[in-house]
Amino acid sequence: MTAIDDSTRHPDALRADMMRALRGLDAITSSCVAAAFAAVPRHLFAPDAPLDLAYDVHRTVPVKQDEHGLDISAMSAPHLQAVMLEQLGVESGMRVLEIGSGGVNAAYLQELVGSEGEVTTVDIDRDIIDRARRCLDEAGYPQVRTVVADGESGVPTGAPYDRIIVTAAAWDIPPSWISSLSAKGRLVVPLTVCGTTRTVAFDHDGEGGLVSRSYGLARFVPMQGDGAAEERKAMLREGIALQTDDVHVPLDARALNHALASSRLECWSGAAYDLPDELELYLTFHLSSAARLHAHQEVIDSGLVEPSARLGVPALVSEDSIAYRTRRGNEGTGGFESGVIAHGPHAEALADEYVALLRRWAAQHRRRGAATLRYLPGPTPSPLPQNAAVRPHGIVTAAWT
Ligand SMILES: C[S@@+](CC[C@H](N)C(=O)[O-])C[C@H]1O[C@@H](n2cnc3c(N)ncnc32)[C@H](O)[C@@H]1O
């Protein structure tokens, strides 16, 4: 049998395949988002990319890199764009602001709002806006308004917006986004807490803050400009790093490296381990001093750190000790059991706290979408509510009921 070379297939055929895949994955669930994806000639927004890449459901198309070769702009993958547009719930005639441009998502938004609606897309980078403008005109969307500005301040000239969609990873929600949302407005934002980004759909909570209606894991290029994240990172040794966005978490690289080199304590919870992203969200907001532990494959292969750290795992840290999650297969019954690896003089206390959380999550909250996130703007309240992440313009809280 001869393999079909996707890069030479007609864009319409590739788009039809993409649509089928997005429906199959439940990324597209509404007829209006389906119609938008069917209408927009996506490849015209990635003129230099192979056709099959432009229509690949899960892959991004790189657009611009910084001086270190890291992506600072990319055409997001269709799967993520579809999920976020479904979260956004755009209706015909709405006014929509997109923060972080590329062109194609603005074209989808224009299809969704129709001729009575208005779409504004803003990017901090003039090159990106010039490129987006060219692509939008070429693809037949001259009515989309393109603006060069730091999205931190919003785009006041088009406010109020019925919908705001942010397409760069944010770690805070600046006041301009909340104030320029209409009374029934919705904000969809990739919000990063302790190194993990989730697209969160927020509505007004009626008291000046925001309350989530849905969330899901995502990866995005970082926000630049005034809203760039203030993260702390510590290299414990070659191939092992800790990161946190909490100023109160002690990150003493020397002491924690010393702890890792000491013997390890292994504690098993007896509780089921699955839905890793939901468990991680719970741990991030409940651990008394949370950071994210990352380890390279070579370090994992050496046996020093468990494989759970390869993609990053919530860690509980003190000045001189560290604990993090692991798992093992259940004999006979299938599935996995969660457990904790701890090192350092306070290993036992950290492991006890961690294991108690693993058990509580499994017993009470082990399901998808169980958390409600809130954003409360303003000065940091005292005392700080439980399960809160402090940000310059407010706090993020999470609750499980
Ligand atoms: C993932 S790309 C956007 C993808 C795009 N929405 C699409 O249609 O595929 C993220 C963009 O956010 C932009 N960006 C980063 N920080 C920004 C800021 N503070 N204000 C506006 N744009 C920003 C970057 O320049 C980059 O082009």
Side-chain angles (χ1 to χ4, degrees), residues 169-340:
W171 81 304
D172 197 3
I173 298 181
S176 68
W177 297 356
I178 301 179
S179 64
S180 60
L181 257 193
S182 66
K184 296 204 165 169
R186 182 169 307 153
L187 165 70
V188 172
V189 53
L191 196 61
T192 305
V193 181
C194 202
T196 301
T197 304
R198 291 178 176 79
T199 62
V200 186
F202 280 115
D203 288 346
H204 288 291
D205 67 0
E207 296 168 21
L210 301 170
V211 58
S212 71
R213 14 176 330 125
S214 63
Y215 60 85
L217 272 189
R219 286 185 70 163
F220 268 99
V221 299
M223 187 69 71
Q224 304 167 46
D226 288 348
E230 288 167 25
E231 282 207 323
R232 296 161 57 220
K233 285 195 178 126
M235 282 294 283
L236 305 197
R237 64 170 70 181
E238 184 73 29
I240 307 183
L242 273 173
Q243 74 181 126
T244 182
D245 46 32
D246 183 339
V247 289
H248 303 294
V249 173
L251 284 189
D252 184 334
R254 253 172 69 105
L256 293 174
N257 186 34
H258 187 69
L260 272 182
S262 70
S263 59
R264 64 193 234 162
L265 177 68
E266 202 174 292
C267 296
W268 294 99
S269 68
Y273 169 76
D274 57 5
L275 301 177
D277 51 319
E278 294 287 345
L279 172 58
E280 179 176 321
L281 184 63
Y282 185 78
L283 292 171
T284 299
F285 276 93
H286 285 82
L287 290 169
S288 57
S289 181
R292 196 172 165 83
L293 175 70
H294 297 264
H296 282 180
Q297 190 60 47
E298 303 87 82
V299 180
I300 292 166
D301 291 343
S302 76
L304 184 63
V305 177
E306 289 290 298
S308 57
R310 196 172 62 81
L311 299 175
V313 64
L316 174 60
V317 294
S318 68
E319 276 80 8
D320 57 9
S321 305
I322 180 166
Y324 63 97
R325 183 197 57 69
T326 185
R327 66 169 200 189
R328 67 180 175 191
N330 290 322
E331 266 176 40
T333 54
F336 294 95
E337 175 189 1
S338 59
V340 174

Side-chain angles (χ1 to χ4, degrees), residues 42 45 60 63-64 72-77 81 98-108 121-125 128-129 147 149-152 166-169 177 219-228:
R42 188 177 173 85
F45 294 89
T60 58
V63 173
K64 189 170 179 177
I72 52 170
S73 189
M75 182 164 103
S76 301
Q81 288 176 326
E98 180 192 42
I99 297 175
S101 300
V104 69
N105 205 43
Y108 291 144
T121 180
V122 59
D123 203 286
I124 197 167
D125 187 329
I128 301 302
I129 281 295
V147 178
D150 185 341
E152 173 85 356
V166 182
T167 63
W177 297 356
R219 286 185 70 163
F220 268 99
V221 299
M223 187 69 71
Q224 304 167 46
D226 288 348

